[in-house]
Amino acid sequence: MQIKRINYEEPFADAPLPSIASEADETLLDAYSAALVRAVEIASPAVLHVRAQFPGQNGHMAASGSGSGFVLSPDGFVLTNSHVVNGATRILAQTADGRPLKADLVGDDPD
């Protein structure tokens, strides 16, 4: 078998790139983009950074982990993945604007 090296840039250097999106497609993509930006603006204040610390030997903290979570209810319930907090002895959360919050594990569903 012989392998031939091809220089892809040279034959196409002066050729214009074909437009793969029509004007209608671009309008639709702009609408999707605007909708996504708006959804992020609405939801981002409810998103938290969750940090958990886990027990180690002789009462010392052995490891920590982190993940995201979001405020689920006005009274402060936060939902995050079980693997982020399962077995944690201390849980801290931080809001998008940097405010630190202490958190308590209320429930866990590893499955």
Side-chain angles (χ1 to χ4, degrees):
M1 175 192 275
Q2 187 178 21
I3 299 175
K4 181 179 177 186
R5 186 169 189 273
I6 300 172
N7 183 347
Y8 287 101
E9 293 176 11
E10 194 172 294
F12 302 105
D14 296 326
L17 293 174
S19 176
I20 57 172
S22 69
E23 193 172 317
D25 290 338
E26 289 180 13
T27 300
L28 188 58
L29 288 173
D30 286 344
Y32 285 144
S33 179
L36 182 59
V37 167
R38 183 67 181 134
V40 169
E41 288 172 350
I42 292 168
S44 63
V47 176
L48 302 172
H49 177 227
V50 179
R51 290 180 294 143
Q53 294 177 329
F54 300 92
Q57 301 285 337
N58 301 323
H60 298 296
M61 294 296 168
S64 64
S66 68
S68 60
F70 65 93
V71 180
L72 190 62
S73 65
D75 56 349
F77 277 95
V78 173
L79 184 65
T80 189
N81 286 305
S82 175
H83 71 268
V84 174
V85 294
N86 185 278
T89 54
R90 185 173 182 210
I91 303 169
L92 302 169
Q94 186 174 16
T95 62
D97 63 5
R99 286 178 291 139
L101 305 167
K102 183 183 176 297
D104 296 310
L105 183 62
V106 175
D108 184 27
D109 184 5
D111 293 330

